[in-house]
Amino acid sequence: MMTAPNDEDEMDRGPLTLSVVVPMYNEEEALTALAARLRPVLDGCGEPYEVLAVDDGSTDATARMLEDLRLRWPQLRVVSLRCNSGHQAALTAGLHRAHGTYVVSIDADLQDPPEVIPQMLALARADALDVVYSVRDDRSTDSVFKRRTAAYYYWLIRRLVGAHVPAQVGDFRLMSRPVLESLKALPDQRHVYRLLIPSLGFPSGQITYRREERVAGTTKYPVGKMVLLALDSITGFSTAPLRLATAMGALSLVVCFVLLAWTITVYSLGWTLPGWTSLVVTVLFFGAVQLFCLGLLGEYLARIYTAVQARPTYSVAHDTATVEETIS
Ligand code: UDP
Ligand code: MG
């Protein structure tokens, strides 16, 4: 079944059923294997499709290899970012440019099996769903560190943001055109899509899959980037840490009053010994609480600051689809 094109722009190009967005950063080792596995699946779907490879400022041979691939794979479209902007920003670049009625985002390292894509599409159509999540029900191929940190991440996020956020759902998902249009209407910020999309409330379903091992190369998500993602997830979707600062402030105040009463009592009883230990402990304790609260406030201030600056999170150097349109 072919869905009617929803704007003139799309009519010019002919309706595309499926866009597959693949953000990639220094994936020269995985790229050949990705194309070899993704292409037969998409060709086999029998639907018009495009693959949007978003080169997130790679410094290895990824860009050159993509150009080579494009010569043999007409459905491959390359969007190159000027510098490394991060996985979520690269995803934004791809999602905003995808033309398909349905869009699937997938990692380049084949940890998410492309063979599941037709299943996602069939489920979306059969149940009239706008979002199909893919849930990793088996992560045994991930390192113990990755599994532990992921478990803590989803536990914390579900407590802070809400149980509507599905656990073990990464960025391998299908979205319909209405979801895409809603995302495009949002101001350009550092989005965390695995939290943002459930918050939009579109009808959704899910399929499960076994997470595979990275086909080649090493992770492009070092601990620093994982911490940034966790911070963006918390500060972007929950005000609980701010409330925690308030609660701690209130508690400190109560402790202060107790200490004050104690000091006055001790003073009135004439027991005013030097009290060096209690003084140091008090100063250290309140100093620590104040710094912690300042740190929390700083996190939110940083978000407001970047939002007020309204700078784009990525900058597209060129888009092969636009170049082709200009030539024709
Ligand atoms: N990625 C990206 N920009 C970055 C880091 C990662 O586009 O700054 C891409 C990467 O090439 C891959 C996906 O994001 O396609 C997920 O990264 P990776 O598989 O290395 O993360 P992990 O599975 O180890 O968490
Ligand atoms: Mg991976």
Side-chain angles (χ1 to χ4, degrees):
M1 185 194 80
M2 202 77 79
T3 314
N6 52 7
D7 62 14
E8 271 184 331
D9 197 31
E10 225 168 76
M11 276 161 124
D12 294 338
R13 282 185 199 98
L16 266 179
T17 306
L18 186 63
S19 296
V20 178
V21 175
V22 197
M24 49 185 79
Y25 176 55
N26 290 345
E27 295 287 5
E28 61 180 5
E29 284 138 307
L31 205 50
T32 310
L34 172 76
R37 234 174 104 184
L38 184 60
R39 190 172 181 182
V41 172
L42 297 177
D43 287 343
C45 276
E47 312 267 8
Y49 73 88
E50 64 174 353
V51 172
L52 251 128
V54 185
D55 178 9
D56 185 14
S58 297
T59 49
D60 65 356
T62 301
R64 192 180 43 76
M65 288 175 75
L66 281 171
E67 277 315 304
D68 283 352
L69 266 175
R70 239 168 56 73
L71 301 175
R72 284 168 279 125
W73 193 2
Q75 289 93 340
L76 179 64
R77 186 177 152 195
V78 180
V79 174
S80 314
L81 305 191
R82 285 189 211 283
C83 59
N84 181 232
S85 310
H87 180 211
Q88 300 295 300
L91 252 181
T92 308
L95 296 178
H96 281 203
R97 281 165 180 75
H99 295 137
T101 312
Y102 289 99
V103 178
V104 171
S105 51
I106 188 170
D107 288 352
D109 59 358
L110 288 175
Q111 284 200 281
D112 313 319
E115 292 75 19
V116 171
I117 295 175
Q119 226 176 300
M120 290 168 134
L121 196 57
L123 181 66
R125 282 172 169 162
D127 295 353
L129 301 173
D130 282 301
V131 184
V132 178
Y133 299 108
S134 65
V135 181
R136 303 149 177 181
D137 66 344
D138 181 352
R139 295 187 69 139
S140 53
T141 54
D142 274 335
S143 68
V144 175
F145 175 72
K146 197 93 197 174
R147 267 183 282 159
R148 284 268 158 80
T149 47
Y152 286 132
Y153 173 83
Y154 288 110
W155 174 83
L156 186 67
I157 291 303
R158 279 164 67 85
R159 279 189 76 101
L160 291 180
V161 182
H164 66 278
V165 177
Q168 297 300 342
V169 164
D171 284 306
F172 181 29
R173 76 174 81 72
L174 176 140
M175 287 157 279
S176 68
R177 177 62 30 201
V179 177
L180 264 279
E181 294 307 324
S182 302
L183 292 177
K184 280 163 85 170
L186 295 173
D188 188 12
Q189 283 183 14
R190 296 201 313 255
H191 295 311
V192 180
Y193 285 104
R194 65 191 69 181
L195 306 182
L196 182 60
I197 289 163
S199 76
L200 299 177
F202 281 93
S204 64
Q206 58 186 45
I207 52 124
T208 52
Y209 74 103
R210 184 174 178 275
R211 190 152 162 89
E212 293 173 18
E213 254 174 276
R214 178 175 251 282
V215 68
T218 51
T219 179
K220 305 301 173 303
Y221 250 99
V223 177
K225 280 186 182 171
M226 281 165 68
V227 171
L228 272 186
L229 183 76
L231 271 178
D232 277 346
S233 304
I234 295 168
T235 56
F237 290 87
S238 168
T239 51
L242 266 186
R243 289 200 297 270
L244 179 75
T246 318
M248 284 182 67
L251 189 74
S252 314
L253 213 65
V254 172
V255 175
C256 257
F257 279 127
V258 173
L259 285 179
L260 201 68
W262 174 70
T263 319
I264 291 167
T265 313
V266 167
Y267 179 75
S268 56
L269 290 173
W271 297 346
T272 41
L273 291 167
W276 183 84
T277 315
S278 58
L279 193 70
V280 170
V281 167
T282 312
V283 169
L284 284 180
F285 176 70
F286 287 107
V289 168
Q290 280 171 10
L291 278 179
F292 185 68
C293 294
L294 270 179
L296 284 173
L297 289 176
E299 275 300 322
Y300 286 90
L301 196 68
R303 278 194 78 85
I304 296 168
Y305 178 62
T306 38
V308 167
Q309 281 178 321
R311 287 186 189 142
T313 48
Y314 63 87
S315 154
V316 172
H318 69 268
D319 177 342
T320 52
T322 323
V323 174
E324 275 158 13
E325 273 161 29
T326 321
I327 292 166
S328 61

